[in-house]
Amino acid sequence: MTNRAQILLNSLARSAVGLTALTRPVPIIRLAGVDRVTAEKIAWIARLAGIRDLALGLGLLHAHTTGGKTQPWLVAGLLSDTADTAVLAHATAHHHLPAAYGTVMTLAAGGGAALATTTLTTERDHHHTQEQTGQPPR
């Protein structure tokens, strides 16, 4: 997969996750074993995460499509996903989340961090190769 494809995948996936959490927070919270009444009362928490992911995804997409710097957006997403991975793993290990749901969510957040890391590494290697060959950056 090319670096451009990785960036596009990262931005679209993050935007989709954000939009889903923003518009469908109650079903997402219910998957964590929370009853409907409580899920409706705390839906704003999922919306906060959704807004964050949507902003990061759209910011990355904008930078990608306009030729702007994508690295800061990728790093911000990497930091967010790394924090999410740690929090979700902790919550799962301490039985605050159902094991199956917590494991899936932890793996999803870790997958986001891994994709950002791979994309950043590919981007760095691509720019390093361009510097060595004297090619202008894209």
Side-chain angles (χ1 to χ4, degrees), residues 39-116:
E40 288 172 357
K41 287 181 181 179
I42 64 170
W44 61 272
I45 295 170
R47 287 187 180 109
L48 286 174
I51 289 167
R52 177 198 72 186
D53 279 332
L54 185 59
L56 288 170
L58 292 177
L60 179 58
L61 183 62
H62 181 265
H64 174 68
T65 58
T66 61
K69 293 191 178 286
T70 57
Q71 183 180 16
W73 293 102
L74 289 165
V75 170
L78 172 61
L79 294 172
S80 294
D81 288 339
T82 301
D84 289 351
T85 302
V87 169
L88 289 163
H90 182 270
T92 303
H94 288 85
H95 309 288
H96 298 286
L97 288 173
Y101 177 78
T103 300
V104 168
M105 294 300 291
T106 301
L107 290 172
L115 177 59

Side-chain angles (χ1 to χ4, degrees), residues 117-134:
T117 300
T118 301
T119 305
L120 284 163
T121 302
T122 303
E123 185 176 57
R124 185 195 69 222
D125 292 346
H126 178 72
H127 287 295
H128 181 71
T129 301
Q130 285 180 333
E131 289 172 2
Q132 287 180 333
T133 63

